[in-house]
Amino acid sequence: MLSMDTGIVLPGELTAILSRMRGDARHMPPKQLQTVLNAEWGPGWYSRFARFDVRPFAAASIGQVHRAALPDGTDLAIKVQYPGVRASIDSDVDNVATLLRLPGLMPRGMDLSPLLSEAKRQLHAEADYLAEAQHLRQFDSLLVGSDIFALPTLHDALCTSQVLAMRYMESVPLDSLVDAPQGQRDRVAAALIDLVLRELFVFGAMQTDPNLANYRFDPKTGRIVLLDFGAVQPVAPALAADFRALARVALDGGDAATHRAMLRIGYFGADTAPHHQALIQSMFNVAMGPVRQDAPFDFGTSTLLETLRDMGLAIGNDRELAHVPPAATLFLHRKIGGMYLMATKLRARVALRPMVETHCRDQSLE
């Protein structure tokens, strides 16, 4: 998430450094790559290809991606996991926990154990490429026939728990559209925001990693290419119903009803101090501003992110606030926050209220 910052939270120099994490991290040397693939595919694997580019064309935090071609000419993108990633997850998270326990970093009494356990579980899931392959199949079936989105097809014979083989798709980075016509930028942003709503309210599953490298654009077809399904989270029907109820009452601006809906989801607890509850609800109300208006919201000129940043820092600096929201809500907000940053980068104008109303109308009245 920090690597997607546009300078609102971090200094520009640090933003530029972190942005390289999205797809240009350090990669394995060829000898180490050969060792990994020998273990996954067996010695002599190179003979299965007409071409295999040893140098990756993309590298990120968990693995790197190579171009390859099969003897029949099929062009593949092959994601290879770095050795030792799975074995280091628990110790890495524990080390972060140790840092967070330093005096003054976190509010007194805040118990992060459930969140850290969930972080370990999610990272282990992301490191299982066979699970990611299954998520890719799931979303491919959910979006079959779409003229808006395109997903790579799997090459199952080469997939293992540490190697994911897919058909290579020609595309350009999504942020290459920053100077595209306004209408095109608006359509792309609206499509990705609507996809989040469908994931939450229709699909029952959400890809929760909004890294911009996971979204690309095919100029020939005009479709958005969706990549990387490692961070897919199931959305329980009860949670979707709670969020539908929250959105419905928040659109109408009813403070008491909004407070009850936020309490039910877990944004704060019944034992959270009243002034802390009020602070959190005020931040939520500000965040809902773009959704409440009927006119298209102009992401490019809005100062909402700066306002929310300042409110969030004020809340975070309150040493007495110890409530930790459920992990499911944090993953959801990671995705929503990422989509907001994406739309801001594209300087998109999107009418959000009709989109939310479509998914959150009272189904009991239909």
Side-chain angles (χ1 to χ4, degrees):
M1 284 295 290
L2 285 174
S3 76
M4 296 174 65
D5 180 55
T6 55
I8 294 171
V9 176
L10 301 173
E13 297 85 355
L14 187 54
T15 298
I17 292 170
L18 288 175
S19 68
R20 294 201 293 269
M21 293 171 56
R22 293 205 298 264
D24 191 25
R26 292 189 178 186
H27 52 82
M28 287 183 276
K31 188 171 183 179
Q32 187 178 44
L33 172 68
Q34 184 174 18
T35 299
V36 172
L37 293 180
N38 282 347
E40 296 301 308
W41 289 339
W45 56 265
Y46 198 89
S47 63
R48 302 169 73 172
F49 300 94
R51 187 191 80 252
F52 189 101
D53 296 346
V54 175
R55 183 172 180 83
F57 68 87
S61 57
I62 292 180
Q64 60 191 43
V65 191
H66 297 260
R67 290 282 298 272
L70 296 175
D72 65 4
T74 302
D75 202 2
L76 298 179
I78 298 179
K79 184 162 68 171
V80 184
Q81 189 173 126
Y82 301 134
V85 164
R86 292 188 190 184
S88 68
I89 288 172
D90 289 354
S91 61
D92 285 349
V93 174
D94 288 340
N95 288 337
V96 171
T98 299
L99 290 173
L100 291 175
R101 292 188 182 102
L102 291 174
L105 282 183
M106 301 296 296
R108 291 187 294 270
M110 180 171 281
D111 180 15
L112 290 179
S113 299
L115 182 57
L116 294 171
S117 296
E118 180 60 23
K120 290 180 181 180
R121 187 204 64 78
Q122 174 62 33
L123 288 169
H124 278 289
E126 290 187 41
D128 182 352
Y129 284 178
L130 289 178
E132 180 177 347
Q134 185 56 39
H135 295 319
L136 175 54
R137 292 188 194 95
Q138 178 187 12
F139 272 79
D140 186 57
S141 65
L142 290 169
L143 295 169
V144 64
S146 172
D147 58 357
I148 300 174
F149 298 108
L151 287 74
T153 54
L154 289 165
H155 188 76
D156 290 301
L158 294 173
C159 291
T160 74
S161 63
Q162 296 188 72
V163 177
L164 192 65
M166 304 158 285
R167 183 181 291 272
Y168 179 81
M169 303 186 72
E170 292 287 350
S171 59
V172 297
L174 197 66
D175 52 10
S176 67
L177 300 178
V178 292
D179 295 319
Q182 184 71 51
Q184 185 178 41
R185 288 182 275 127
D186 295 347
R187 285 191 296 273
V188 168
L192 287 170
I193 293 169
D194 182 67
L195 178 60
V196 175
L197 294 170
R198 291 165 69 190
E199 288 175 323
L200 177 58
F201 296 120
V202 181
F203 295 170
M206 179 177 288
Q207 192 281 83
T208 63
D209 182 0
N211 187 331
L212 275 180
N214 296 339
Y215 306 92
R216 295 177 66 87
F217 185 75
D218 182 350
K220 292 183 179 179
T221 64
R223 293 197 294 176
I224 301 166
V225 178
L226 303 178
L227 303 173
D228 199 328
F229 290 86
V232 172
Q233 292 274 355
V235 179
L239 183 64
D242 284 344
F243 272 106
R244 181 177 285 111
L246 173 61
R248 202 158 51 234
V249 297
L251 282 174
D252 296 332
D255 285 343
T258 299
H259 182 275
R260 289 192 296 271
M262 293 181 70
L263 180 64
R264 187 165 56 248
I265 290 174
Y267 283 107
F268 38 71
D271 57 347
T272 303
H275 71 285
H276 288 153
Q277 296 187 34
L279 282 172
I280 295 169
Q281 186 168 345
S282 67
M283 190 174 182
F284 174 79
N285 284 331
V286 170
M288 283 295 294
V291 184
R292 288 183 177 140
Q293 68 182 46
D294 293 315
F297 178 70
D298 191 336
F299 286 89
T301 61
S302 172
T303 59
L304 178 63
L305 280 180
E306 290 90 334
T307 301
L308 291 174
R309 173 202 62 197
D310 294 341
M311 295 180 75
L313 288 173
I315 293 174
N317 287 332
D318 191 327
R319 312 310 304 166
E320 301 300 323
L321 180 60
H323 180 75
V324 179
T329 67
L330 298 178
F331 284 119
L332 170 64
H333 283 284
R334 177 173 71 161
K335 181 65 172 284
I336 293 173
M339 290 299 99
Y340 194 106
L341 289 170
M342 174 275 302
T344 300
K345 178 161 286 194
L346 294 180
R347 306 188 314 282
R349 301 169 188 160
V350 182
L352 300 170
R353 185 180 184 109
M355 298 169 66
V356 174
E357 286 180 331
T358 296
H359 291 283
C360 296
R361 63 170 63 96
D362 191 343
Q363 295 180 329
S364 65
L365 300 178
E366 298 180 354

